Each structure stands twice: as C-alpha cells, then as structure tokens.
Amino acid sequence: MRRRSSASVGSEQMEKGTAKNQHSRLCFLATLSLFFWVLLLYFHFVVLGGNPLEESAKLQPIAVRTEFTPSHRIDDPSSEPRTSATPLTESHLETPRVVDPPIRETPRVVDPPKRETPRVVDPPKREAPKVVGTKSKMENFPFMRALRTTENKTDPCGGRYIYVHDLPPRFNEDMLKECRKLSLWTNMCKFTSNAGLGPPLENVEGVFSNTGWYATNQFAVDVIFNNRMKQYDCLTRDSSIAAAIFVPFYAGFDIARYLWGYNTSVRDAASLDLVNWLAKRPEWNIMGGKDHFLVAGRITWDFRRLSDEETDWGNKLLFLPAARNMSMLVVESSPWNANDFGIPYPTYFHPAKDADVFMWQDRMRNLERKWLFSFAGAPRPDNPKSIRGQIIDQCRNSKVGKLLECDFGESKCHSPSSIMQMFQSSLFCLQPQGDSYTRRSAFDSMLAGCIPVFFHPGSAYTQYTWHLPKNFTKYSVFIPEDDIRKRNVSIEERLRQIPPEQVKIMREEVINLIPRLIYADPRSKLETLKDAFDVAVQAVIDKVTRLRRNIIEGRTEYDNFIEENSWKYALLEEGEREVGGHEWDPFFSKPKGEGESGGSSAEAAKKSWKNEQRDQS
C-alpha cells in the first residue's frame, strides 16, 4: 500500500468535519494553504480577468471617434463642415453610434471570454476616398446639380435652364390692369398692348418692311422681356437644375407710378415687399440671390436714391442689401456699381421670324446714303456741359449734314418713319449724351445700318458690353466731347478722313449686329438668330456659372476688386483679373460729394422725365 501524505490526511480530515488535532501544526498548514489558493484564484479571474473587458469597452468609442470622418450633408442647411478647430461631438456622427460601455451585473469568476474579433469598431467603408481632390469639395455646394447639367451632351438645355419665380400678381400683371397710372403724361395702355410692343406701325412712306414694326415705347422693356421669357425654350420647374433664376417684377413700371408727388415710403414699398418675399423662398437660400436677375426698362438712376429725404430722386431698390446680390438689367447702368447691366433700348422693329431680319439687313446694305452724317435731337441750354448746341450748329452749317431738330409741340422727331428715313439715308449718325449717358436713338440708327458716332464712352462702350464688340472701332467712331467743346473740332472733317473702304466695312459690321440689338416679337420665336433677349439671358447664365465655379475653386473673379471701377472690369479681356489706369478715367471721375450714384446723374434722370413730358405735349 502507498503511504498517504500528511497533506492528504489533513485535507481529508477537513472534508469530514472532524475536530481532531485542530491545534496541530499540520492542520494549520493545510488551512493556510487552502486560503492561499482561494486568494490566488480570485485575483486571477476577478481582478485580472475583469480589466480586459472593461478596457475593451472603453476603447471602442475612442476608436470610432478618431477614425470615422463624418461627411457634410448638403441636404441639411443647418449642418456645417467640421474643421480642425471645431470639436467633434456626437451630433456629427451618424453610424456607428457611440454608446456607454455595457453595465456588468456582477463580476463573474469565469474563464476569460474568447473574443472572435477585436471589438474596436472600424470606420464604415466608403465607396471612394472622397477626402481628396476638388471633387469632394464640390459635393458640398447645393448648386452642383445645376452645374452637372452642362455635362449631359444629349440635353440641348444642359447648362441653360431658367427657373421663373411665380410672383404674386401685384408685382407685375396688376400694374398692367392699371396701365393709365403708369405715367403722368403718357397713356401706357396702348404701349403695353401686343405683348408690350405697342400699336402696329403702318408702312405708308415705305420706310419700314411690311411686318414686324410697332410704335414701341422706349421704357417698355419690362413687359417685353417678361413675355419673351415665356417663349424661352429651356424653362424648368425644378430650381435645382436652373442655371439662373428670373424674377418677373416690373421694376420700371413700379417706379414710374410714384416718381412724382409720392413720398419715399410709397416709392419703396413694392421693392421692399419683393425682397422680403424672395428671402423666404428656398431658391433664394442656394446662393443668397446671386443667381437671381430681374429687368427694369428705365435708367439705373431711378433706382438709386441715396437717402430717405423726400426731395431725393427715385427709390432705393438697387441699394437694398438683397438687391445688391441680384443682377438687374436696365437700359442704362451705373459705371460705378456692380449689380446692374445695360441692355438695349427697344427699337420699332420686332420680327416674328428669321427671314424678316435677313430681308431687312439686305435692304440696309443696298440703300443709297446721301448724307455724310445726321443728328436727331434737341439742344440742352440748361446744361452748360452739353455739346448738343455745337453739334446742331455743325449740322446746320454743313452741306453734307442732316438735322432733325426736336422741340416742343409737333415735331418730326415724334414720327418713327421720319427718324428712320433720315438714319437710312446717312452714313454716320451722331449720338451725343442725352439727359443721361445713353439714348434710344443709338439703337434706332444702328437698326438703319447707320454707323454711330459717340462722344462719351458711357453712351455705349461701357454700357452694352454684352451686345456690342469690345473693340468699338469696328462699328463706331469716337470723338471725345472736349474735342467739340474746347477745340471746336470739325465733325465733318474727322469723318471725311475715314477711307470709303473702311466705311463700308464698318457699316457691314453694324448691319451684322442688328439681330443682337432688337427684341423679337414675344408671341413668336426666331429659329437661328439670337436677339437682344437671348444675348442678355446667356450673359446672365455665363455670369452665374462663372461665379459658381469660382466659389468651388475658392477664388474671386477679379483681384483687388473695387466697385467704383466697375466700368473697367467689363472691358477686360478673357483671363485678365485686375484693372489699372485707363484713358477714359477722366470721363468717369465724379465730382466730390456726389456719392455713389452721383447727384448730377439723379438730376439727369429727373430731366429725362421732364423731356418725356415735353415729348407728349
């Protein structure tokens, strides 16, 4: 038999619960040994075994926080991209969700758990690493869908869609219902007929072609443009794909109602109402209105009142913060402001089809022109800076000059056929400043194939940069005002110096420009030609598209932009980003104290209205 050890005997005696030899040394050692093993097992399973579980639970959310990069959601206007300076909170994370470590009911003395995979959660797999390159940045802009339409080569409207706001009728149609109130001296009801073209003109003297001619008011662009927009071939009801957004507000008609005898509150009411309405629209929030445009068929000075003094002229539409973001198309823009753009005055010709334009152009090419130069207009005796008096004198004293003098009462200047007949028989048509920089006569003369002669760059060159060539020598002659005012230069001699072959080339250039300077009949549509409306809309689209691409690239359109030099930027060539000194600087230097719009310009606008009154007397 094998001899049992003392340890075995001691252990057996303890299991049987015997009390024998309790005070013996052997029994004491056995008890001490058993206590040691119990303590060792407790330390191993509870203390050491519990730490990996607890530490694992704590590591999981830390791993998610450091490795998962939340994306910026463009469909949530309240979301903002996180920068390194912005603490990452749970609100930035979508999945996986970070939760508190699981609560352990009681620490169980068991074998360490077998972990199949480390529960340090990996960041979610992304289809493509969008953290690099410009493409990922582009996803953050809400106008990206509109830009992408340009990539669809099968879509003829890609990059050309226009969204039109459905304004309440008080901003447009209701004004036409009260057309007798649109002017103190002119019954605008007849001029708003025929989609804004006015009554048809009869071709009694054979000056016009047989169709397409109307007695159009020079300030009727609001309604003409709006009706042309209804025929635009790329209208959309989905603003997210729109290259630009049109606001059909009759701004010109609105101010025309209240310029005389109304306080500033009345004059500003509709403009303030409009911008408040727009600001509540979701379309406005995409770019803060920088993709919006509207049209006003009057000169910019009617919308640039500098103060709330009752004696100040016009309303303050173009000075409202919201309007500063929009583009406003006017028949005369400000050289010192960046939110308005010049578009042509309407002429009398509104063709319904391409053939009407081609026939008219051919007719203008083949006319005999017996007069070297001509002028239709009245003197400005109350304006000491005006050169009209000298121009009228030179016309009277020249055997090759023709004058159609406009004055009170009956005048051939009020007869479209008389004006067009004179322009059609002249090689050059003199176009000095009117009451303001521009005048409708410049477009009537070019429609007749007559080469315009300008005396101030603000009469055309810095105004209609969308519609006329930047190289003004191709289609016009420029004689600085001071040459007439101070040096008494002979207009006849200056024009005779131009070789006949050059005159022919210039006249052809003018005739080729005709489609871009006229507004087609809004009730029809030209097929291959682009009229003044088409040119203006495309220019707005190009402007908005360029702005969007600059935003994506994180750059501005120009370096060191100075708004007071706005007239210079439109003259820059492609790729140029900064302006400097210009030979025309003296023409646009403002007298001290005139402010942004210029007191003399506001006064010119007021005189323009007085002459409108005179024309109707």
Side-chain angles (χ1 to χ4, degrees):
M1 294 180 62
R2 293 181 59 187
R3 184 180 177 180
R4 298 194 318 189
S5 66
S6 60
S8 302
V9 172
S11 175
E12 182 177 346
Q13 288 175 344
M14 288 181 66
E15 290 175 0
K16 291 180 179 181
T18 64
K20 294 179 180 181
N21 300 323
Q22 292 183 5
H23 299 288
S24 68
R25 178 181 179 134
L26 199 58
C27 190
F28 174 77
L29 290 174
T31 304
L32 185 63
S33 175
L34 179 62
F35 177 79
F36 173 78
W37 283 107
V38 170
L39 182 64
L40 181 64
L41 290 172
Y42 178 84
F43 181 83
H44 176 74
F45 290 107
V46 175
V47 179
L48 294 181
N51 281 346
L53 290 173
E54 188 175 36
E55 290 303 312
S56 175
K58 291 180 180 178
L59 284 174
Q60 288 183 35
I62 295 175
V64 174
R65 287 175 184 265
T66 55
E67 295 187 26
F68 176 67
T69 304
S71 61
H72 178 54
R73 299 187 53 159
I74 63 173
D75 57 343
D76 182 4
S78 65
S79 64
E80 296 179 359
R82 186 177 69 91
T83 65
S84 58
T86 306
L88 183 60
T89 64
E90 289 182 4
S91 63
H92 290 87
L93 302 176
E94 295 178 5
T95 56
R97 292 187 60 83
V98 180
V99 296
D100 294 330
I103 300 174
R104 291 174 293 135
E105 298 177 3
T106 54
R108 306 176 67 182
V109 183
V110 291
D111 290 336
K114 295 180 180 180
R115 289 174 288 173
E116 299 176 2
T117 56
R119 296 305 296 168
V120 179
V121 181
D122 293 328
K125 294 181 179 180
R126 288 170 284 182
E127 296 179 1
K130 295 183 179 179
V131 189
V132 283
T134 306
K135 189 174 181 180
S136 65
K137 296 180 181 179
M138 291 169 62
E139 303 301 325
N140 293 333
F141 298 105
F143 49 73
M144 286 310 305
R145 188 166 178 235
L147 277 181
R148 288 196 193 97
T149 64
T150 60
E151 302 169 5
N152 186 357
K153 303 304 180 184
T154 62
D155 183 2
C157 290
R160 296 177 52 234
Y161 286 106
I162 296 291
Y163 177 85
V164 180
H165 274 300
D166 185 15
L167 294 182
R170 66 180 180 275
F171 292 118
N172 40 52
E173 296 303 322
D174 285 353
M175 297 185 200
L176 300 186
K177 294 176 182 177
E178 299 180 349
C179 51
R180 291 187 178 275
K181 297 181 180 179
L182 295 179
S183 175
L184 279 176
W185 311 291
T186 306
N187 180 7
M188 291 298 293
C189 293
K190 68 176 182 178
F191 292 115
T192 57
S193 64
N194 293 313
L197 305 183
L201 288 173
E202 295 183 6
N203 190 24
V204 178
E205 301 177 37
V207 176
F208 313 127
S209 45
N210 292 328
T211 59
W213 291 80
Y214 298 83
T216 306
N217 185 276
Q218 64 175 328
F219 300 124
V221 170
D222 299 61
V223 65
I224 294 174
F225 204 99
N226 191 29
N227 284 322
R228 280 284 284 111
M229 184 62 77
K230 294 174 182 178
Q231 300 297 327
Y232 185 66
D233 55 355
C234 292
L235 294 178
T236 179
R237 293 182 180 178
D238 183 0
S239 62
S240 70
I241 65 170
I245 296 177
F246 180 56
V247 182
F249 173 48
Y250 291 163
F253 286 170
D254 169 54
I255 190 58
R257 301 179 292 179
Y258 305 125
L259 273 175
W260 298 96
Y262 292 89
N263 61 32
T264 56
S265 297
V266 174
R267 286 182 255 160
D268 294 336
S271 297
L272 292 170
D273 194 10
L274 174 74
V275 297
N276 288 335
W277 188 91
L278 289 172
K280 296 175 183 177
R281 300 289 303 172
E283 296 83 10
W284 182 267
N285 295 326
I286 300 299
M287 296 184 69
K290 292 182 179 180
D291 53 355
H292 285 50
F293 71 105
L294 67 157
V295 173
R298 299 204 70 93
I299 62 178
T300 189
W301 315 113
D302 289 337
F303 311 98
R304 292 191 177 278
R305 193 187 71 246
L306 286 173
S307 77
D308 287 334
E309 294 293 329
E310 301 296 341
T311 54
D312 267 7
W313 181 256
N315 68 22
K316 59 181 180 182
L317 171 58
L318 281 173
F319 283 136
L320 296 176
R324 285 183 179 273
N325 283 352
M326 292 190 286
S327 298
M328 186 154 157
L329 314 189
V330 288
V331 292
E332 177 178 316
S333 62
S334 164
W336 308 300
N337 298 96
N339 58 337
D340 56 358
F341 302 86
I343 58 174
Y345 285 86
T347 64
Y348 301 112
F349 185 42
H350 306 282
K353 53 185 183 293
D354 293 25
D356 295 342
V357 182
F358 296 142
M359 291 176 60
W360 179 257
Q361 287 176 302
D362 287 341
R363 180 174 171 180
M364 294 304 100
R365 289 187 179 98
N366 299 323
L367 287 176
E368 270 192 42
R369 301 178 183 266
K370 60 181 180 180
W371 302 108
L372 177 64
F373 64 96
S374 63
F375 174 64
R380 294 291 187 268
D382 56 342
N383 183 2
K385 294 183 179 180
S386 176
I387 61 171
R388 286 189 171 209
Q390 291 97 315
I391 288 177
I392 290 173
D393 288 341
Q394 289 201 33
C395 285
R396 284 175 177 161
N397 297 329
S398 173
K399 295 181 179 179
V400 292
K402 174 69 173 175
L403 175 65
L404 192 63
E405 192 166 1
C406 307
D407 213 331
F408 291 99
E410 289 295 323
S411 170
K412 289 186 177 181
C413 283
H414 302 151
S415 167
S417 61
S418 297
I419 294 174
M420 291 301 295
Q421 188 174 44
M422 184 184 73
F423 288 160
Q424 288 175 32
S425 60
S426 305
L427 288 174
F428 297 94
C429 293
L430 309 184
Q431 300 297 344
Q433 294 188 72
D435 297 292
S436 59
Y437 290 128
T438 64
R439 58 197 304 244
R440 170 186 176 153
S441 177
F443 296 98
D444 289 333
S445 65
M446 286 188 277
L447 175 61
C450 187
I451 302 168
V453 180
F454 296 110
F455 302 85
H456 192 292
S459 294
Y461 307 147
T462 63
Q463 289 287 340
Y464 310 107
T465 55
W466 293 347
H467 296 78
L468 296 174
K470 290 183 179 179
N471 182 0
F472 61 89
T473 61
K474 294 174 63 176
Y475 71 94
S476 71
V477 176
F478 179 58
I479 303 176
E481 286 181 338
D482 279 351
D483 284 2
I484 307 297
R485 184 186 298 116
K486 298 179 179 180
R487 303 178 187 92
N488 199 28
V489 166
S490 169
I491 297 173
E492 179 180 336
E493 290 180 9
R494 181 70 62 88
L495 296 178
R496 284 190 183 277
Q497 293 172 3
I498 304 174
E501 189 59 33
Q502 181 64 23
V503 172
K504 185 177 180 180
I505 294 173
M506 294 172 70
R507 184 170 68 248
E508 182 63 23
E509 181 71 23
V510 170
I511 293 172
N512 288 335
L513 285 173
I514 288 176
R516 302 171 61 87
L517 306 179
I518 58 177
Y519 295 91
D521 192 323
R523 297 162 296 187
S524 59
K525 191 178 185 307
L526 300 181
E527 295 178 4
T528 63
L529 297 174
K530 303 297 183 183
D531 71 341
F533 167 88
D534 293 316
V535 172
V537 170
Q538 187 59 52
V540 170
I541 290 174
D542 292 343
K543 174 180 177 290
V544 174
T545 301
R546 196 165 57 246
L547 174 61
R548 287 171 170 172
R549 296 194 185 282
N550 284 336
I551 291 174
I552 292 170
E553 296 169 8
R555 61 182 288 179
T556 58
E557 185 165 5
Y558 301 112
D559 296 331
N560 305 311
F561 179 77
I562 301 174
E563 188 174 18
E564 191 168 323
N565 289 332
S566 294
W567 64 271
K568 297 183 183 182
Y569 292 97
L571 303 177
L572 291 176
E573 297 298 331
E574 187 71 28
E576 293 182 330
R577 293 178 49 82
E578 192 162 6
V579 299
H582 198 283
E583 61 179 316
W584 290 339
D585 282 338
F587 288 95
F588 297 106
S589 60
K590 296 184 294 182
K592 293 181 180 180
E594 285 201 356
E596 287 188 74
S597 66
S600 61
S601 300
E603 189 63 28
K606 188 182 298 186
K607 289 178 180 178
S608 176
W609 277 82
K610 290 181 178 179
N611 286 315
E612 184 178 347
Q613 176 187 15
R614 182 195 65 188
D615 292 342
Q616 300 301 321
S617 61

